Amino acid sequence: DPDRWREVILVGIPKVGKESGFNACRYIALSPVMQKWYIRTLVAADREKRRQYKANLLGYEPHHSSLDITETIRTVLAKTHEWGIPAFIGTADIATAFDQVEHKDLEAALHGRGIHPSFVRAYFQEIHEVHATLASPGAEPSEPFPYQQGIKMGGVDGTDNFNAVLEDALGELAQQW
């Protein structure tokens, strides 16, 4: 049943040293396998455009550790000092950054990448019309509610989408600077 594709269970994992209940957990979305397969298909169809970064992004990419990022920042700062040019380095708290992305910002970023509107529409039909149920230890499951914010961290689409939103925000910042 395709309508069940849009039902997600948010399973709460208790944070260390926190009391029980909904606010004391970090949530992981359990998505239906068919939805994951469909999104993987959509992402594969436009992967090259999703990875055409206009800014130099190092974080959130396979095979890059925090040491790689630290060394890159050190090199960039040394060269900008040597060459007398400005450098802009941004950081984000990944514990909450993926959760805070507004779908309207993601949609604008994907359009800005030149991803075909049909793919964007199909993708958002899958992620924007989702209903979720919260399940956490020591509490009754919640009633289903609209789940229309955030990017699935660890999902096939998460890294590229987060980088697209980040680059879009950095582009606006660079224009205003």
Side-chain angles (χ1 to χ4, degrees), residues 137-160:
E140 291 293 318
S142 73
E143 291 294 319
F145 60 91
Y147 181 57
Q148 301 174 342
Q149 181 172 319
I151 294 174
K152 292 178 190 162
M153 197 163 138
V156 66
D157 52 335
T159 300
D160 291 336

Side-chain angles (χ1 to χ4, degrees), residues 3-175:
D3 289 335
R4 298 220 43 194
W5 291 8
R6 296 185 186 106
E7 294 175 9
V8 172
I9 299 172
L10 297 172
V11 178
I13 299 174
K15 297 177 185 175
V16 177
K18 298 284 183 175
E19 56 197 55
S20 64
F22 289 118
N23 293 332
C25 293
R26 180 90 179 122
Y27 291 90
I28 295 175
L30 299 179
S31 304
V33 171
M34 289 304 292
Q35 184 193 46
K36 289 180 184 179
W37 172 83
Y38 182 69
I39 287 176
R40 182 179 296 268
T41 303
L42 288 173
V43 169
D46 63 14
R47 176 147 318 259
E48 290 307 311
K49 286 190 179 179
R50 285 176 178 268
R51 295 238 165 133
Q52 292 176 0
Y53 303 131
K54 296 175 191 141
N56 291 318
L57 297 173
L58 181 59
Y60 327 115
E61 288 293 324
H63 313 296
H64 290 287
S65 70
S66 57
L67 292 175
D68 296 329
I69 295 167
T70 302
E71 186 57 34
T72 300
I73 291 171
R74 203 175 286 140
T75 302
V76 166
L77 291 175
K79 289 299 180 185
T80 57
H81 179 73
E82 178 185 331
W83 298 334
I85 59 173
F88 303 96
I89 299 172
T91 62
D93 177 3
I94 297 308
T96 60
F98 278 71
D99 298 339
Q100 301 303 317
V101 172
E102 296 283 343
H103 284 177
K104 64 180 176 51
D105 297 330
L106 175 57
E107 186 174 5
L110 294 177
H111 283 299
R113 282 265 167 94
I115 295 174
H116 196 279
S118 296
F119 284 113
V120 174
R121 189 172 39 257
Y123 178 76
F124 274 93
Q125 182 177 344
E126 289 306 312
I127 70 163
H128 196 66
E129 296 177 13
V130 170
H131 282 78
T133 302
L134 283 178
S136 67
E140 291 293 318
S142 73
E143 291 294 319
F145 60 91
Y147 181 57
Q148 301 174 342
Q149 181 172 319
I151 294 174
K152 292 178 190 162
M153 197 163 138
V156 66
D157 52 335
T159 300
D160 291 336
N161 286 345
F162 186 77
N163 283 341
V165 171
L166 184 60
E167 181 182 70
D168 197 51
L170 290 174
E172 289 178 26
L173 178 66
Q175 288 176 5

